[in-house]
Amino acid sequence: MAGGLLRRALDLVELLAGHARGLPLQTIADTLGIPKSGAHRLLAELVSYAYVTQDAETGRYLLTTRFATLGLKHLANSGVVDVSQSVLNRLADRSGELVRLAVVDYPRLVWVAKAQGARSGLRYDADMGTEATLSTTSTGIVWLASLPDEEALHLVLRQGLRPPGTAGPNAPRTIPAVLDLIQAARARGYAWVYETNAVGMAAMAATIVHPGSGRAIGNVSIAGPSARLTEACRDTLAPDLLEAAATLSAVGPLSDYLAALSGGRTPDPARLA
């Protein structure tokens, strides 16, 4: 009973995390598939601990900044940002584009740090803490390329392909199309996507591996307007990108933390059922 209650509370938190403006009580109950009275009890408990608040005008429930504060405090104490920031800054300066660090939090891939190299003109900047779309981002594709095809496709299907109109014009619409991107990343040594995740955007990413196990624990990426981040620019930046990934892989405290975060997981057929 206690475990089920905790699971519902966590589901509620994850639901509200995707709706910054909050949600009405009935919508929360319907989405979670629980009685309205049960949803109200969970919300009241979270409100009492200041993790959730209710908008006095609309009646909608929304998360407070307390969860965000905990997450930022955790990252600060882990040393991830401190250790990686100088590497990200250097790559951003060289590329003149947005550079991001993503970590494997199995089965998710989450952006946790960034450096912006664009000083003027078009700038591509995404929010930290968001889960990467595996099938359309260079970040997602390069992680999938480190996994066996069966596991990679299981993760893609779990998340789902992007519906038409919600991604870039070159977004893969089928599993074979995703496999093509994965295979190209393996052959190249890093991932490259062009207007797959968003219109007018391109990106490239390289894997951060744990020096002991050789397992992918995160990656570093460069993203920017496709008018600037062309194939010629990609080829010029590839050595810098790979050097940054290798540097982050070699940092013991960082790689050990990321390995622990990803749970020390290796491909296991039982997880694919």
Side-chain angles (χ1 to χ4, degrees):
M1 180 65 70
L5 182 62
L6 177 59
R7 179 67 263 174
R8 287 195 293 272
L10 293 174
D11 288 342
L12 172 55
V13 169
E14 290 185 359
L15 174 63
L16 292 179
H19 297 82
R21 296 182 179 180
L23 290 171
L25 174 59
Q26 188 64 60
T27 301
I28 293 170
D30 291 343
T31 303
L32 297 179
I34 60 177
K36 188 175 179 180
S37 59
H40 186 266
R41 283 194 297 272
L42 286 174
L43 288 163
E45 190 76 5
L46 289 168
V47 167
S48 71
Y49 288 101
Y51 285 102
V52 169
T53 188
Q54 184 178 23
D55 188 287
E57 294 184 3
T58 67
R60 289 171 168 249
Y61 291 89
L62 61 156
L63 295 182
T64 67
T65 59
R66 195 162 185 180
F67 280 109
T69 301
L70 288 174
L72 292 172
K73 183 186 296 184
H74 173 64
L75 282 176
N77 290 334
S78 73
V80 168
V81 176
D82 289 341
V83 171
S84 63
Q85 197 63 57
S86 62
V87 178
L88 302 182
N89 290 344
R90 184 164 60 251
L91 185 57
D93 287 340
R94 291 179 181 177
S95 66
E97 303 294 355
L98 176 68
V99 171
R100 289 182 287 182
L101 171 68
V103 301
V104 175
D105 187 6
Y106 202 95
R108 305 161 64 241
L109 193 62
V110 182
W111 285 298
V112 298
K114 66 180 178 180
Q116 178 59 262
R119 304 304 180 204
S120 61
L122 291 173
R123 293 178 58 171
Y124 177 58
D125 210 340
D127 293 333
M128 293 298 95
T130 57
E131 181 175 352
T133 302
L134 301 181
S135 62
T136 60
T137 64
S138 63
T139 293
I141 293 298
V142 80
W143 182 40
L144 296 175
S146 74
L147 302 171
D149 284 350
E150 184 183 10
E151 183 171 17
L153 295 183
H154 168 74
L155 292 173
V156 170
L157 291 173
R158 168 192 168 273
Q159 189 181 62
L161 295 174
R162 296 275 291 275
T166 65
N170 297 327
R173 306 299 182 196
T174 65
I175 290 301
V178 176
L179 279 172
D180 286 344
L181 290 174
I182 291 173
Q183 291 164 1
R186 288 173 180 157
R188 190 182 291 114
Y190 61 91
W192 161 254
V193 295
Y194 189 86
E195 297 197 352
T196 56
N197 196 52
V199 177
M201 302 309 304
M204 56 197 297
T207 301
I208 300 169
V209 299
H210 187 268
S213 66
R215 179 169 47 85
I217 52 178
N219 54 67
V220 59
S221 63
I222 302 172
S226 54
R228 282 201 309 255
L229 196 53
T230 61
E231 290 190 11
C233 184
R234 172 202 70 189
D235 295 342
T236 299
L237 291 174
D240 292 326
L241 175 69
L242 293 170
E243 178 186 6
T247 299
L248 291 172
S249 299
V251 178
L254 174 66
S255 59
D256 287 343
Y257 171 77
L258 297 187
L261 181 64
S262 62
R265 291 173 171 83
T266 54
D268 179 1
R271 299 213 318 275
L272 307 182

